[in-house]
Amino acid sequence: MTTFDRHLLVRYLHAFVVYFVAALGLYVVVDGFTNLDEFQQAAAGEGPLGLVRHMAVHYLFQSSMLFELVGPTAAMMSASTVLALMSKNGELHPILAAGVPTYRLSYPVLGGLVLVNALLIANQELVIPRVTVFLQGNRGSASANAVEVEPCLSANGIYVTGARLFLGDNRLLNAEFRMSTGSLSETFVTLRAINAYYMPRKGTTPAGWVLVNPQPRHDQLQLTPEGRQVVFPLNYHNSIFIVSEVTPQELYNRGASFKYLSTSELLLRARQPSPGTGTARARLIHLHARMTRPLVMIVTLFLAFPMILRKESKSLVTNVAFCAMLMAMVFGTNQAMRFIGQAGLLSPELTVWLPIIGFSGLGAWLSPLTKT
């Protein structure tokens, strides 16, 4: 790596930090003032320092999710900034006069993209899954606070609902599991328990819910042979274990909770039956989008080169404006394709790959416009 490469890489990373800190500060100011009442209720009796502490802890956890959302956009804005400053400061002409190809300047920017993607992957795989409870909780609240329950019908026909859901310990309060007459039960039955705990898959043990002291008891149920493989008794507290793919995330914020999962957990969920077709499709689209995010950023970078470093343009402001419009088109197209995919009009694979293929061709078509 040459001195000029290191110069461009440092400039890229500096621009990225500035953009992310600016976005984080704007989010904290707007969200903090909008929801100040919730923070004051959470810090009741603790004084101003307690209020500041609750807000600091909340936005510390939220910064990880904000980094996941804003990181790709900030990375591409930083790349455009590096190219624009290089053109503005007259740094491009000596490089070209020395016989260095224009696209050789993409190496340090690509290195910056690799570093940013490494941080995004580490944040998604290591940080977000561990702070999911805090990300989905109320502002300024403890992780043990309860949230509203969204009833869900499992793939085996069991309707799951409850009064409140405690995300901190995967506990469903006043749980109800309803089975209609069919493959699992000979009669309609509702299993009720004050507390039900979700148990994830461990080895050969399937995932499901443990109902503590349920009513009716297991020996009072009229289960079919298939039902006995799904609902069976445990040896402590007259508990019942119900095999189910419905997780606590499926019972709260179902349309977005899968975004907090690690990739390995997301792949595992994708192989399991889903309680809803729309949720399964959105989950697959998000999985493909997560895997192809570095490709989208690279394609967008090579769209920025011919827009900002155009050989026949005399206005840098116009070039940056065109580049910003093209980047907005890329991100807008990706979002539009996701809506089309979630509506079932395209497969999840085509939903994610069609924009990459289309804009890659556009980048190749625009490449002759680059100043050389």
Side-chain angles (χ1 to χ4, degrees):
M1 179 178 287
T2 65
T3 302
F4 192 68
D5 288 336
R6 289 194 294 270
H7 168 68
L8 293 182
L9 179 59
V10 171
R11 178 181 288 176
Y12 174 86
L13 297 177
H14 178 263
F16 177 80
V17 171
V18 169
Y19 282 127
F20 176 71
V21 171
L24 178 61
L26 181 63
Y27 171 74
V28 170
V29 170
V30 174
D31 187 79
F33 278 102
T34 304
N35 303 282
L36 187 60
D37 292 341
E38 292 188 37
F39 288 112
Q40 289 177 335
Q41 292 176 3
E46 298 183 24
L49 291 178
L51 175 63
V52 173
R53 181 178 61 82
H54 278 279
M55 295 183 69
V57 171
H58 174 76
Y59 290 115
L60 176 63
F61 289 117
Q62 291 295 325
S63 63
S64 61
M65 196 63 199
L66 187 68
F67 182 70
E68 172 70 16
L69 298 174
V70 178
T73 304
M76 299 318 305
M77 291 175 61
S78 302
S80 302
T81 302
V82 169
L83 297 178
L85 288 176
M86 185 169 55
S87 179
K88 176 180 179 296
N89 297 334
E91 298 170 342
L92 181 62
H93 297 92
I95 298 296
L96 297 180
V100 178
T102 305
Y103 281 101
R104 168 63 178 78
L105 301 174
S106 65
Y107 290 3
V109 182
L110 282 173
L113 285 178
V114 170
L115 291 176
V116 170
N117 273 284
L119 291 175
L120 287 170
I121 292 172
N123 180 61
Q124 179 64 66
E125 302 298 325
L126 303 176
V127 179
I128 292 180
R130 289 172 169 78
V131 299
T132 301
V133 174
F134 299 95
L135 294 176
Q136 298 187 62
N138 298 326
R139 291 173 177 83
S141 65
S143 61
N145 282 11
V147 296
E148 296 291 337
V149 176
E150 298 178 11
C152 182
L153 182 65
S154 68
N156 53 17
I158 300 178
Y159 185 80
V160 184
T161 185
R164 304 285 285 178
L165 178 66
F166 293 85
L167 296 172
D169 51 3
N170 292 333
R171 178 165 60 94
L172 186 61
L173 182 65
N174 293 332
E176 292 186 5
F177 290 74
R178 302 172 187 170
M179 294 182 292
S180 300
T181 305
S183 59
L184 299 182
S185 177
E186 297 177 357
T187 60
F188 177 84
V189 62
T190 300
L191 284 167
R192 294 182 174 88
I194 296 178
N195 291 306
Y197 297 89
Y198 177 75
M199 305 298 293
R201 178 188 298 269
K202 290 184 179 180
T204 58
T205 304
W209 291 85
V210 176
L211 280 65
V212 181
N213 291 321
Q215 293 295 329
R217 300 189 308 273
H218 183 269
D219 55 10
Q220 296 174 329
L221 300 176
Q222 299 181 20
L223 299 174
T224 62
E226 183 179 349
R228 294 189 185 95
Q229 299 178 0
V230 175
V231 182
F232 49 87
L234 298 178
N235 295 328
Y236 55 94
H237 298 298
N238 297 320
S239 300
I240 290 178
F241 184 81
I242 299 179
V243 178
S244 176
E245 81 289 348
V246 177
T247 65
Q249 287 75 25
E250 298 285 353
L251 297 174
Y252 174 71
N253 197 17
R254 187 179 307 136
S257 59
F258 54 82
K259 297 178 182 179
Y260 303 103
L261 300 175
S262 63
T263 303
S264 58
E265 181 67 22
L266 196 58
L267 284 169
L268 181 61
R269 297 280 180 86
R271 298 190 185 101
Q272 296 175 352
S274 177
T277 305
T279 303
R281 190 180 296 115
R283 186 186 297 163
L284 283 175
I285 292 174
H286 178 73
L287 176 61
H288 285 283
R290 183 184 294 183
M291 303 295 288
T292 57
R293 179 171 55 190
L295 286 178
V296 175
M297 296 172 69
I298 292 174
V299 168
T300 310
L301 171 63
F302 285 100
L303 287 174
F305 263 85
M307 287 292 98
I308 296 181
L309 304 179
R310 284 194 295 169
K311 61 175 65 174
E312 298 181 357
S313 176
K314 297 181 180 179
S315 174
L316 179 60
V317 175
T318 303
N319 293 350
V320 173
F322 276 116
C323 180
M325 291 174 58
L326 195 56
M327 287 185 177
M329 186 184 302
V330 172
F331 287 105
T333 302
N334 283 328
Q335 293 300 319
M337 292 298 292
R338 290 192 186 191
F339 283 116
I340 292 174
Q342 290 180 11
L345 302 179
L346 284 176
S347 66
E349 296 82 4
L350 287 177
T351 297
V352 176
W353 280 98
L354 280 181
I356 297 176
I357 296 172
F359 285 109
S360 298
L362 179 61
W365 182 67
L366 294 175
S367 61
L369 300 178
T370 307
K371 187 182 298 185
T372 61

